[in-house]
Amino acid sequence: SQQGEEDPQALSIQEGENATMNCSYKTSINNLQWYRQNSGRGLVHLILIRSNEREKHSGRLRVTLDTSKKSSSLLITASRAADTASYFCATAGASKIIFGSGTRLSIRP
Amino acid sequence: ETGVTQTPRHLVMGMTNKKSLKCEQHLGHNAMYWYKQSAKKPLELMFVYNFKEQTENNSVPSRFSPECPNSSHLFLHLHTLQPEDSALYLCASSPGQGDGYTFGSGTRLTVV
């Protein structure tokens, strides 16, 4: 399966600290995407990184992709209470996107 | 508001009822999707429509019946559901398959 698997499953950090989440997958991909989901709501697309890219930034987000290791990481810098949510990686093959199980991030005040 | 609108937001139905979930997007996207999200499980892809044609049915039971009358609207018709079908049902759209998705807020379905 090309499904991404996030690590850790849950992460609790102090406000202001950086949060790093990892994603591993098994097969070749066209791109890898990260999404955020607040409790009981729909997912929000954060960033897409293509298979020929190694790093991408968007505001306080930094995503890396290592296709040789079949892994990606999402770094959120200077975390805020509003960053509390579940974060999912999604791997895109030729015709569909498969989501992982997510990392639940909690930001402590 | 994401540009993908799902109605209703909440639905409680009995096992013998027939109901429909609606999804609407006016983003000009060509692909639309239904996902099921149950507690402590990954998002499960149910159906994919590309240019109004169904391109994926992920072994979904026939008590779930999708309909895509045009590229802006997607329905999920429900009948004789089971309690284990209770979940958050999410609709999404994308410019093309494999592009970033825009999700609706979901319909929280409870089957009693």
Side-chain angles (χ1 to χ4, degrees), chain B residues 35-83:
Chain B
Y35 278 86
K36 175 184 178 183
Q37 187 177 35
S38 305
K40 299 182 180 179
K41 284 187 178 181
L43 271 76
E44 298 173 55
L45 177 64
M46 299 177 72
F47 301 103
V48 179
Y49 278 82
N50 199 29
F51 292 96
K52 302 189 300 178
E53 299 298 320
Q54 185 176 306
T55 58
E56 183 102 16
N57 177 338
N58 206 27
S59 302
V60 179
S62 60
R63 57 186 184 270
F64 295 91
S65 174
E67 179 190 1
C68 189
N70 55 63
S71 57
S72 298
H73 295 85
L74 186 63
F75 295 89
L76 188 62
H77 304 298
L78 317 171
H79 64 99
T80 56
L81 294 191
Q82 305 298 312

mmCIF file of all heavy atoms in Angstrom, chain B residues 35-83:
data_model
loop_
_atom_site.group_PDB
_atom_site.id
_atom_site.type_symbol
_atom_site.label_atom_id
_atom_site.label_comp_id
_atom_site.label_asym_id
_atom_site.label_seq_id
_atom_site.Cartn_x
_atom_site.Cartn_y
_atom_site.Cartn_z
ATOM 1 N N TYR B 35 -15.412 10.507 1.263
ATOM 2 C CA TYR B 35 -14.595 9.796 2.238
ATOM 3 C C TYR B 35 -15.437 9.526 3.481
ATOM 4 O O TYR B 35 -16.313 10.299 3.827
ATOM 5 C CB TYR B 35 -13.387 10.634 2.674
ATOM 6 C CG TYR B 35 -12.215 10.590 1.731
ATOM 7 C CD1 TYR B 35 -12.146 11.466 0.658
ATOM 8 C CD2 TYR B 35 -11.171 9.690 1.920
ATOM 9 C CE1 TYR B 35 -11.056 11.438 -0.211
ATOM 10 C CE2 TYR B 35 -10.078 9.659 1.063
ATOM 11 C CZ TYR B 35 -10.036 10.537 0.005
ATOM 12 O OH TYR B 35 -8.962 10.508 -0.855
ATOM 13 N N LYS B 36 -15.094 8.441 4.174
ATOM 14 C CA LYS B 36 -15.708 8.123 5.459
ATOM 15 C C LYS B 36 -14.627 8.202 6.522
ATOM 16 O O LYS B 36 -13.525 7.660 6.339
ATOM 17 C CB LYS B 36 -16.299 6.705 5.429
ATOM 18 C CG LYS B 36 -16.854 6.230 6.755
ATOM 19 C CD LYS B 36 -17.324 4.790 6.668
ATOM 20 C CE LYS B 36 -17.832 4.278 8.004
ATOM 21 N NZ LYS B 36 -18.235 2.842 7.936
ATOM 22 N N GLN B 37 -14.938 8.893 7.622
ATOM 23 C CA GLN B 37 -13.990 8.983 8.722
ATOM 24 C C GLN B 37 -14.650 8.465 9.990
ATOM 25 O O GLN B 37 -15.563 9.100 10.527
ATOM 26 C CB GLN B 37 -13.499 10.414 8.922
ATOM 27 C CG GLN B 37 -12.370 10.521 9.950
ATOM 28 C CD GLN B 37 -11.838 11.925 10.091
ATOM 29 O OE1 GLN B 37 -12.573 12.904 9.991
ATOM 30 N NE2 GLN B 37 -10.539 12.057 10.307
ATOM 31 N N SER B 38 -14.187 7.312 10.442
ATOM 32 C CA SER B 38 -14.663 6.732 11.693
ATOM 33 C C SER B 38 -13.630 6.987 12.778
ATOM 34 O O SER B 38 -12.453 7.221 12.480
ATOM 35 C CB SER B 38 -14.874 5.217 11.537
ATOM 36 O OG SER B 38 -15.740 4.948 10.460
ATOM 37 N N ALA B 39 -14.065 6.897 14.006
ATOM 38 C CA ALA B 39 -13.170 7.137 15.138
ATOM 39 C C ALA B 39 -11.988 6.165 15.091
ATOM 40 O O ALA B 39 -12.151 4.982 14.847
ATOM 41 C CB ALA B 39 -13.926 6.972 16.449
ATOM 42 N N LYS B 40 -10.794 6.725 15.265
ATOM 43 C CA LYS B 40 -9.566 5.940 15.376
ATOM 44 C C LYS B 40 -9.251 5.121 14.132
ATOM 45 O O LYS B 40 -8.592 4.092 14.202
ATOM 46 C CB LYS B 40 -9.615 5.035 16.611
ATOM 47 C CG LYS B 40 -9.749 5.809 17.912
ATOM 48 C CD LYS B 40 -9.757 4.913 19.138
ATOM 49 C CE LYS B 40 -9.900 5.741 20.403
ATOM 50 N NZ LYS B 40 -9.940 4.906 21.621
ATOM 51 N N LYS B 41 -9.744 5.557 12.988
ATOM 52 C CA LYS B 41 -9.425 4.893 11.719
ATOM 53 C C LYS B 41 -8.952 5.926 10.714
ATOM 54 O O LYS B 41 -9.367 7.090 10.785
ATOM 55 C CB LYS B 41 -10.662 4.197 11.151
ATOM 56 C CG LYS B 41 -11.052 2.900 11.823
ATOM 57 C CD LYS B 41 -12.193 2.273 11.028
ATOM 58 C CE LYS B 41 -12.615 0.952 11.607
ATOM 59 N NZ LYS B 41 -13.718 0.338 10.821
ATOM 60 N N PRO B 42 -8.119 5.525 9.759
ATOM 61 C CA PRO B 42 -7.732 6.467 8.699
ATOM 62 C C PRO B 42 -8.944 6.819 7.839
ATOM 63 O O PRO B 42 -9.920 6.074 7.808
ATOM 64 C CB PRO B 42 -6.708 5.688 7.875
ATOM 65 C CG PRO B 42 -6.317 4.532 8.709
ATOM 66 C CD PRO B 42 -7.457 4.228 9.608
ATOM 67 N N LEU B 43 -8.859 7.920 7.153
ATOM 68 C CA LEU B 43 -9.909 8.263 6.199
ATOM 69 C C LEU B 43 -10.020 7.155 5.160
ATOM 70 O O LEU B 43 -9.021 6.698 4.607
ATOM 71 C CB LEU B 43 -9.587 9.574 5.471
ATOM 72 C CG LEU B 43 -10.071 10.854 6.103
ATOM 73 C CD1 LEU B 43 -9.208 11.221 7.282
ATOM 74 C CD2 LEU B 43 -10.076 11.992 5.089
ATOM 75 N N GLU B 44 -11.269 6.745 4.910
ATOM 76 C CA GLU B 44 -11.497 5.686 3.933
ATOM 77 C C GLU B 44 -12.079 6.298 2.667
ATOM 78 O O GLU B 44 -13.163 6.897 2.709
ATOM 79 C CB GLU B 44 -12.496 4.662 4.488
ATOM 80 C CG GLU B 44 -12.043 3.952 5.739
ATOM 81 C CD GLU B 44 -13.168 3.104 6.304
ATOM 82 O OE1 GLU B 44 -13.711 2.266 5.557
ATOM 83 O OE2 GLU B 44 -13.535 3.281 7.478
ATOM 84 N N LEU B 45 -11.378 6.139 1.563
ATOM 85 C CA LEU B 45 -11.908 6.590 0.287
ATOM 86 C C LEU B 45 -13.079 5.697 -0.110
ATOM 87 O O LEU B 45 -12.972 4.472 -0.090
ATOM 88 C CB LEU B 45 -10.818 6.524 -0.778
ATOM 89 C CG LEU B 45 -11.229 6.902 -2.201
ATOM 90 C CD1 LEU B 45 -11.652 8.358 -2.278
ATOM 91 C CD2 LEU B 45 -10.090 6.614 -3.172
ATOM 92 N N MET B 46 -14.205 6.339 -0.474
ATOM 93 C CA MET B 46 -15.380 5.569 -0.871
ATOM 94 C C MET B 46 -15.559 5.605 -2.392
ATOM 95 O O MET B 46 -15.597 4.573 -3.046
ATOM 96 C CB MET B 46 -16.630 6.130 -0.195
ATOM 97 C CG MET B 46 -16.592 6.082 1.319
ATOM 98 S SD MET B 46 -18.057 6.842 2.050
ATOM 99 C CE MET B 46 -19.313 5.616 1.680
ATOM 100 N N PHE B 47 -15.693 6.794 -2.924
ATOM 101 C CA PHE B 47 -15.972 6.951 -4.355
ATOM 102 C C PHE B 47 -15.172 8.129 -4.915
ATOM 103 O O PHE B 47 -14.915 9.105 -4.223
ATOM 104 C CB PHE B 47 -17.465 7.229 -4.603
ATOM 105 C CG PHE B 47 -18.388 6.171 -4.098
ATOM 106 C CD1 PHE B 47 -19.110 6.361 -2.929
ATOM 107 C CD2 PHE B 47 -18.550 4.978 -4.796
ATOM 108 C CE1 PHE B 47 -19.978 5.393 -2.458
ATOM 109 C CE2 PHE B 47 -19.419 4.003 -4.337
ATOM 110 C CZ PHE B 47 -20.126 4.205 -3.158
ATOM 111 N N VAL B 48 -14.831 7.996 -6.192
ATOM 112 C CA VAL B 48 -14.163 9.069 -6.928
ATOM 113 C C VAL B 48 -14.924 9.317 -8.214
ATOM 114 O O VAL B 48 -15.278 8.367 -8.939
ATOM 115 C CB VAL B 48 -12.704 8.708 -7.268
ATOM 116 C CG1 VAL B 48 -12.045 9.848 -8.049
ATOM 117 C CG2 VAL B 48 -11.908 8.396 -6.011
ATOM 118 N N TYR B 49 -15.182 10.588 -8.491
ATOM 119 C CA TYR B 49 -15.772 10.988 -9.763
ATOM 120 C C TYR B 49 -14.825 11.956 -10.448
ATOM 121 O O TYR B 49 -14.311 12.887 -9.830
ATOM 122 C CB TYR B 49 -17.130 11.661 -9.557
ATOM 123 C CG TYR B 49 -18.256 10.685 -9.381
ATOM 124 C CD1 TYR B 49 -18.501 10.103 -8.147
ATOM 125 C CD2 TYR B 49 -19.057 10.323 -10.465
ATOM 126 C CE1 TYR B 49 -19.521 9.183 -7.984
ATOM 127 C CE2 TYR B 49 -20.092 9.405 -10.309
ATOM 128 C CZ TYR B 49 -20.309 8.836 -9.069
ATOM 129 O OH TYR B 49 -21.320 7.920 -8.915
ATOM 130 N N ASN B 50 -14.576 11.715 -11.722
ATOM 131 C CA ASN B 50 -13.725 12.574 -12.520
ATOM 132 C C ASN B 50 -14.500 12.954 -13.764
ATOM 133 O O ASN B 50 -14.912 12.089 -14.539
ATOM 134 C CB ASN B 50 -12.433 11.840 -12.870
ATOM 135 C CG ASN B 50 -11.333 12.777 -13.288
ATOM 136 O OD1 ASN B 50 -11.270 13.926 -12.863
ATOM 137 N ND2 ASN B 50 -10.430 12.293 -14.124
ATOM 138 N N PHE B 51 -14.725 14.257 -13.954
ATOM 139 C CA PHE B 51 -15.558 14.735 -15.069
ATOM 140 C C PHE B 51 -16.901 13.986 -15.082
ATOM 141 O O PHE B 51 -17.337 13.488 -16.127
ATOM 142 C CB PHE B 51 -14.833 14.547 -16.406
ATOM 143 C CG PHE B 51 -13.638 15.429 -16.570
ATOM 144 C CD1 PHE B 51 -12.372 14.958 -16.278
ATOM 145 C CD2 PHE B 51 -13.772 16.741 -17.016
ATOM 146 C CE1 PHE B 51 -11.254 15.776 -16.429
ATOM 147 C CE2 PHE B 51 -12.663 17.570 -17.163
ATOM 148 C CZ PHE B 51 -11.406 17.078 -16.871
ATOM 149 N N LYS B 52 -17.522 13.890 -13.930
ATOM 150 C CA LYS B 52 -18.848 13.303 -13.717
ATOM 151 C C LYS B 52 -18.878 11.774 -13.842
ATOM 152 O O LYS B 52 -19.919 11.168 -13.607
ATOM 153 C CB LYS B 52 -19.904 13.875 -14.682
ATOM 154 C CG LYS B 52 -20.097 15.359 -14.632
ATOM 155 C CD LYS B 52 -21.306 15.772 -15.467
ATOM 156 C CE LYS B 52 -21.149 15.368 -16.920
ATOM 157 N NZ LYS B 52 -22.331 15.730 -17.732
ATOM 158 N N GLU B 53 -17.779 11.173 -14.214
ATOM 159 C CA GLU B 53 -17.769 9.722 -14.355
ATOM 160 C C GLU B 53 -17.139 9.073 -13.128
ATOM 161 O O GLU B 53 -16.078 9.521 -12.657
ATOM 162 C CB GLU B 53 -16.981 9.320 -15.610
ATOM 163 C CG GLU B 53 -17.557 9.862 -16.919
ATOM 164 C CD GLU B 53 -18.953 9.340 -17.182
ATOM 165 O OE1 GLU B 53 -19.211 8.148 -16.911
ATOM 166 O OE2 GLU B 53 -19.808 10.130 -17.660
ATOM 167 N N GLN B 54 -17.769 8.018 -12.626
ATOM 168 C CA GLN B 54 -17.209 7.326 -11.476
ATOM 169 C C GLN B 54 -15.968 6.556 -11.894
ATOM 170 O O GLN B 54 -16.029 5.737 -12.813
ATOM 171 C CB GLN B 54 -18.248 6.364 -10.875
ATOM 172 C CG GLN B 54 -17.770 5.684 -9.594
ATOM 173 C CD GLN B 54 -18.828 4.812 -8.954
ATOM 174 O OE1 GLN B 54 -19.942 5.268 -8.691
ATOM 175 N NE2 GLN B 54 -18.530 3.560 -8.732
ATOM 176 N N THR B 55 -14.865 6.837 -11.255
ATOM 177 C CA THR B 55 -13.612 6.175 -11.596
ATOM 178 C C THR B 55 -13.107 5.259 -10.483
ATOM 179 O O THR B 55 -12.143 4.525 -10.666
ATOM 180 C CB THR B 55 -12.513 7.192 -11.910
ATOM 181 O OG1 THR B 55 -12.342 8.055 -10.775
ATOM 182 C CG2 THR B 55 -12.873 8.036 -13.122
ATOM 183 N N GLU B 56 -13.772 5.322 -9.327
ATOM 184 C CA GLU B 56 -13.335 4.481 -8.218
ATOM 185 C C GLU B 56 -14.515 4.161 -7.326
ATOM 186 O O GLU B 56 -15.295 5.036 -6.976
ATOM 187 C CB GLU B 56 -12.266 5.201 -7.398
ATOM 188 C CG GLU B 56 -11.683 4.407 -6.249
ATOM 189 C CD GLU B 56 -10.320 3.818 -6.553
ATOM 190 O OE1 GLU B 56 -9.702 4.262 -7.532
ATOM 191 O OE2 GLU B 56 -9.897 2.938 -5.808
ATOM 192 N N ASN B 57 -14.661 2.894 -7.022
ATOM 193 C CA ASN B 57 -15.608 2.428 -6.014
ATOM 194 C C ASN B 57 -14.794 1.500 -5.129
ATOM 195 O O ASN B 57 -14.441 0.401 -5.542
ATOM 196 C CB ASN B 57 -16.781 1.700 -6.666
ATOM 197 C CG ASN B 57 -17.757 1.131 -5.644
ATOM 198 O OD1 ASN B 57 -17.413 0.901 -4.479
ATOM 199 N ND2 ASN B 57 -18.981 0.907 -6.061
ATOM 200 N N ASN B 58 -14.519 1.964 -3.934
ATOM 201 C CA ASN B 58 -13.574 1.254 -3.090
ATOM 202 C C ASN B 58 -14.268 0.161 -2.279
ATOM 203 O O ASN B 58 -14.226 0.173 -1.053
ATOM 204 C CB ASN B 58 -12.866 2.259 -2.174
ATOM 205 C CG ASN B 58 -11.507 1.786 -1.728
ATOM 206 O OD1 ASN B 58 -10.851 1.009 -2.411
ATOM 207 N ND2 ASN B 58 -11.070 2.259 -0.575
ATOM 208 N N SER B 59 -14.911 -0.753 -3.003
ATOM 209 C CA SER B 59 -15.596 -1.891 -2.363
ATOM 210 C C SER B 59 -16.606 -1.425 -1.321
ATOM 211 O O SER B 59 -16.679 -1.981 -0.214
ATOM 212 C CB SER B 59 -14.585 -2.850 -1.716
ATOM 213 O OG SER B 59 -13.675 -3.322 -2.664
ATOM 214 N N VAL B 60 -17.364 -0.406 -1.688
ATOM 215 C CA VAL B 60 -18.344 0.153 -0.758
ATOM 216 C C VAL B 60 -19.642 -0.653 -0.851
ATOM 217 O O VAL B 60 -20.088 -0.968 -1.960
ATOM 218 C CB VAL B 60 -18.614 1.629 -1.095
ATOM 219 C CG1 VAL B 60 -19.644 2.230 -0.147
ATOM 220 C CG2 VAL B 60 -17.316 2.428 -1.057
ATOM 221 N N PRO B 61 -20.272 -0.981 0.294
ATOM 222 C CA PRO B 61 -21.540 -1.717 0.259
ATOM 223 C C PRO B 61 -22.597 -0.981 -0.542
ATOM 224 O O PRO B 61 -22.616 0.256 -0.587
ATOM 225 C CB PRO B 61 -21.932 -1.805 1.738
ATOM 226 C CG PRO B 61 -20.666 -1.627 2.497
ATOM 227 C CD PRO B 61 -19.804 -0.731 1.661
ATOM 228 N N SER B 62 -23.490 -1.752 -1.145
ATOM 229 C CA SER B 62 -24.490 -1.160 -2.041
ATOM 230 C C SER B 62 -25.516 -0.309 -1.310
ATOM 231 O O SER B 62 -26.293 0.400 -1.959
ATOM 232 C CB SER B 62 -25.206 -2.278 -2.809
ATOM 233 O OG SER B 62 -25.851 -3.164 -1.912
ATOM 234 N N ARG B 63 -25.535 -0.337 0.008
ATOM 235 C CA ARG B 63 -26.452 0.543 0.741
ATOM 236 C C ARG B 63 -26.005 2.012 0.644
ATOM 237 O O ARG B 63 -26.739 2.906 1.041
ATOM 238 C CB ARG B 63 -26.577 0.112 2.200
ATOM 239 C CG ARG B 63 -25.279 0.039 2.980
ATOM 240 C CD ARG B 63 -25.548 -0.534 4.370
ATOM 241 N NE ARG B 63 -24.363 -0.543 5.208
ATOM 242 C CZ ARG B 63 -23.509 -1.546 5.267
ATOM 243 N NH1 ARG B 63 -23.709 -2.628 4.517
ATOM 244 N NH2 ARG B 63 -22.463 -1.477 6.072
ATOM 245 N N PHE B 64 -24.808 2.231 0.117
ATOM 246 C CA PHE B 64 -24.331 3.581 -0.219
ATOM 247 C C PHE B 64 -24.345 3.712 -1.740
ATOM 248 O O PHE B 64 -23.682 2.931 -2.440
ATOM 249 C CB PHE B 64 -22.904 3.800 0.276
ATOM 250 C CG PHE B 64 -22.760 3.774 1.769
ATOM 251 C CD1 PHE B 64 -22.481 2.583 2.426
ATOM 252 C CD2 PHE B 64 -22.907 4.927 2.516
ATOM 253 C CE1 PHE B 64 -22.341 2.547 3.802
ATOM 254 C CE2 PHE B 64 -22.772 4.909 3.895
ATOM 255 C CZ PHE B 64 -22.496 3.716 4.538
ATOM 256 N N SER B 65 -25.065 4.707 -2.240
ATOM 257 C CA SER B 65 -25.200 4.860 -3.681
ATOM 258 C C SER B 65 -24.853 6.287 -4.067
ATOM 259 O O SER B 65 -25.573 7.218 -3.714
ATOM 260 C CB SER B 65 -26.635 4.525 -4.109
ATOM 261 O OG SER B 65 -26.820 4.790 -5.471
ATOM 262 N N PRO B 66 -23.745 6.507 -4.792
ATOM 263 C CA PRO B 66 -23.385 7.873 -5.163
ATOM 264 C C PRO B 66 -24.077 8.306 -6.453
ATOM 265 O O PRO B 66 -24.509 7.482 -7.261
ATOM 266 C CB PRO B 66 -21.871 7.760 -5.384
ATOM 267 C CG PRO B 66 -21.699 6.366 -5.918
ATOM 268 C CD PRO B 66 -22.757 5.527 -5.244
ATOM 269 N N GLU B 67 -24.162 9.625 -6.586
ATOM 270 C CA GLU B 67 -24.715 10.194 -7.815
ATOM 271 C C GLU B 67 -23.991 11.499 -8.105
ATOM 272 O O GLU B 67 -23.808 12.322 -7.203
ATOM 273 C CB GLU B 67 -26.220 10.468 -7.663
ATOM 274 C CG GLU B 67 -26.861 11.091 -8.899
ATOM 275 C CD GLU B 67 -28.290 11.572 -8.651
ATOM 276 O OE1 GLU B 67 -28.778 11.436 -7.506
ATOM 277 O OE2 GLU B 67 -28.887 12.102 -9.592
ATOM 278 N N CYS B 68 -23.598 11.692 -9.334
ATOM 279 C CA CYS B 68 -22.911 12.922 -9.734
ATOM 280 C C CYS B 68 -23.570 13.470 -10.989
ATOM 281 O O CYS B 68 -23.167 13.141 -12.107
ATOM 282 C CB CYS B 68 -21.425 12.638 -9.981
ATOM 283 S SG CYS B 68 -20.410 14.108 -10.240
ATOM 284 N N PRO B 69 -24.608 14.287 -10.836
ATOM 285 C CA PRO B 69 -25.359 14.781 -12.000
ATOM 286 C C PRO B 69 -24.575 15.767 -12.850
ATOM 287 O O PRO B 69 -24.838 15.882 -14.052
ATOM 288 C CB PRO B 69 -26.577 15.452 -11.367
ATOM 289 C CG PRO B 69 -26.126 15.840 -9.991
ATOM 290 C CD PRO B 69 -25.164 14.781 -9.559
ATOM 291 N N ASN B 70 -23.650 16.476 -12.245
ATOM 292 C CA ASN B 70 -22.782 17.402 -12.980
ATOM 293 C C ASN B 70 -21.503 17.593 -12.173
ATOM 294 O O ASN B 70 -21.395 17.110 -11.047
ATOM 295 C CB ASN B 70 -23.494 18.748 -13.240
ATOM 296 C CG ASN B 70 -24.007 19.372 -11.965
ATOM 297 O OD1 ASN B 70 -23.232 19.707 -11.077
ATOM 298 N ND2 ASN B 70 -25.327 19.527 -11.860
ATOM 299 N N SER B 71 -20.562 18.302 -12.728
ATOM 300 C CA SER B 71 -19.245 18.395 -12.091
ATOM 301 C C SER B 71 -19.247 19.233 -10.820
ATOM 302 O O SER B 71 -18.250 19.283 -10.116
ATOM 303 C CB SER B 71 -18.222 18.944 -13.083
ATOM 304 O OG SER B 71 -18.637 20.208 -13.568
ATOM 305 N N SER B 72 -20.373 19.887 -10.511
ATOM 306 C CA SER B 72 -20.439 20.729 -9.311
ATOM 307 C C SER B 72 -21.156 20.072 -8.153
ATOM 308 O O SER B 72 -21.093 20.570 -7.034
ATOM 309 C CB SER B 72 -21.145 22.059 -9.625
ATOM 310 O OG SER B 72 -20.434 22.791 -10.588
ATOM 311 N N HIS B 73 -21.877 19.000 -8.411
ATOM 312 C CA HIS B 73 -22.713 18.388 -7.385
ATOM 313 C C HIS B 73 -22.432 16.894 -7.242
ATOM 314 O O HIS B 73 -22.250 16.191 -8.241
ATOM 315 C CB HIS B 73 -24.199 18.588 -7.697
ATOM 316 C CG HIS B 73 -24.632 20.019 -7.656
ATOM 317 N ND1 HIS B 73 -24.492 20.862 -8.737
ATOM 318 C CD2 HIS B 73 -25.162 20.759 -6.648
ATOM 319 C CE1 HIS B 73 -24.942 22.059 -8.406
ATOM 320 N NE2 HIS B 73 -25.349 22.027 -7.153
ATOM 321 N N LEU B 74 -22.455 16.474 -6.005
ATOM 322 C CA LEU B 74 -22.240 15.057 -5.693
ATOM 323 C C LEU B 74 -23.175 14.679 -4.562
ATOM 324 O O LEU B 74 -23.306 15.424 -3.590
ATOM 325 C CB LEU B 74 -20.782 14.828 -5.274
ATOM 326 C CG LEU B 74 -20.314 13.402 -5.048
ATOM 327 C CD1 LEU B 74 -20.385 12.588 -6.328
ATOM 328 C CD2 LEU B 74 -18.878 13.406 -4.498
ATOM 329 N N PHE B 75 -23.839 13.549 -4.733
ATOM 330 C CA PHE B 75 -24.757 13.074 -3.706
ATOM 331 C C PHE B 75 -24.306 11.707 -3.217
ATOM 332 O O PHE B 75 -23.648 10.953 -3.938
ATOM 333 C CB PHE B 75 -26.189 12.956 -4.259
ATOM 334 C CG PHE B 75 -26.797 14.264 -4.665
ATOM 335 C CD1 PHE B 75 -26.628 14.762 -5.959
ATOM 336 C CD2 PHE B 75 -27.551 15.015 -3.769
ATOM 337 C CE1 PHE B 75 -27.191 15.982 -6.348
ATOM 338 C CE2 PHE B 75 -28.117 16.226 -4.146
ATOM 339 C CZ PHE B 75 -27.936 16.702 -5.429
ATOM 340 N N LEU B 76 -24.710 11.401 -1.987
ATOM 341 C CA LEU B 76 -24.529 10.053 -1.457
ATOM 342 C C LEU B 76 -25.870 9.617 -0.895
ATOM 343 O O LEU B 76 -26.331 10.156 0.106
ATOM 344 C CB LEU B 76 -23.448 10.029 -0.377
ATOM 345 C CG LEU B 76 -23.030 8.646 0.120
ATOM 346 C CD1 LEU B 76 -22.435 7.812 -1.013
ATOM 347 C CD2 LEU B 76 -22.031 8.754 1.274
ATOM 348 N N HIS B 77 -26.512 8.687 -1.591
ATOM 349 C CA HIS B 77 -27.820 8.189 -1.173
ATOM 350 C C HIS B 77 -27.625 7.022 -0.217
ATOM 351 O O HIS B 77 -26.821 6.116 -0.487
ATOM 352 C CB HIS B 77 -28.642 7.764 -2.395
ATOM 353 C CG HIS B 77 -28.804 8.842 -3.414
ATOM 354 N ND1 HIS B 77 -29.458 10.038 -3.146
ATOM 355 C CD2 HIS B 77 -28.399 8.912 -4.714
ATOM 356 C CE1 HIS B 77 -29.451 10.790 -4.219
ATOM 357 N NE2 HIS B 77 -28.809 10.141 -5.185
ATOM 358 N N LEU B 78 -28.373 7.088 0.871
ATOM 359 C CA LEU B 78 -28.218 6.110 1.947
ATOM 360 C C LEU B 78 -29.511 5.344 2.153
ATOM 361 O O LEU B 78 -30.597 5.950 2.190
ATOM 362 C CB LEU B 78 -27.853 6.830 3.256
ATOM 363 C CG LEU B 78 -26.810 7.947 3.167
ATOM 364 C CD1 LEU B 78 -26.743 8.698 4.490
ATOM 365 C CD2 LEU B 78 -25.468 7.365 2.785
ATOM 366 N N HIS B 79 -29.424 4.028 2.293
ATOM 367 C CA HIS B 79 -30.642 3.264 2.618
ATOM 368 C C HIS B 79 -30.264 1.994 3.364
ATOM 369 O O HIS B 79 -29.250 1.370 3.080
ATOM 370 C CB HIS B 79 -31.454 2.946 1.358
ATOM 371 C CG HIS B 79 -30.736 2.054 0.389
ATOM 372 N ND1 HIS B 79 -30.962 0.690 0.312
ATOM 373 C CD2 HIS B 79 -29.819 2.326 -0.555
ATOM 374 C CE1 HIS B 79 -30.213 0.178 -0.646
ATOM 375 N NE2 HIS B 79 -29.516 1.152 -1.183
ATOM 376 N N THR B 80 -31.110 1.651 4.322
ATOM 377 C CA THR B 80 -30.931 0.483 5.190
ATOM 378 C C THR B 80 -29.519 0.413 5.744
ATOM 379 O O THR B 80 -28.804 -0.594 5.589
ATOM 380 C CB THR B 80 -31.294 -0.839 4.482
ATOM 381 O OG1 THR B 80 -30.522 -0.979 3.290
ATOM 382 C CG2 THR B 80 -32.760 -0.866 4.159
ATOM 383 N N LEU B 81 -29.104 1.502 6.372
ATOM 384 C CA LEU B 81 -27.756 1.536 6.953
ATOM 385 C C LEU B 81 -27.699 0.764 8.258
ATOM 386 O O LEU B 81 -28.727 0.435 8.859
ATOM 387 C CB LEU B 81 -27.325 2.985 7.183
ATOM 388 C CG LEU B 81 -27.134 3.850 5.944
ATOM 389 C CD1 LEU B 81 -26.443 5.153 6.311
ATOM 390 C CD2 LEU B 81 -26.349 3.138 4.864
ATOM 391 N N GLN B 82 -26.476 0.504 8.693
ATOM 392 C CA GLN B 82 -26.209 -0.213 9.929
ATOM 393 C C GLN B 82 -25.597 0.761 10.943
ATOM 394 O O GLN B 82 -24.991 1.772 10.558
ATOM 395 C CB GLN B 82 -25.238 -1.366 9.678
ATOM 396 C CG GLN B 82 -25.698 -2.336 8.596
ATOM 397 C CD GLN B 82 -27.005 -3.003 8.984
ATOM 398 O OE1 GLN B 82 -27.161 -3.502 10.100
ATOM 399 N NE2 GLN B 82 -27.965 -2.985 8.070
ATOM 400 N N PRO B 83 -25.704 0.466 12.232
ATOM 401 C CA PRO B 83 -25.095 1.364 13.234
ATOM 402 C C PRO B 83 -23.603 1.601 12.997
ATOM 403 O O PRO B 83 -23.114 2.701 13.259
ATOM 404 C CB PRO B 83 -25.345 0.622 14.545
ATOM 405 C CG PRO B 83 -26.609 -0.149 14.306
ATOM 406 C CD PRO B 83 -26.511 -0.595 12.861
#
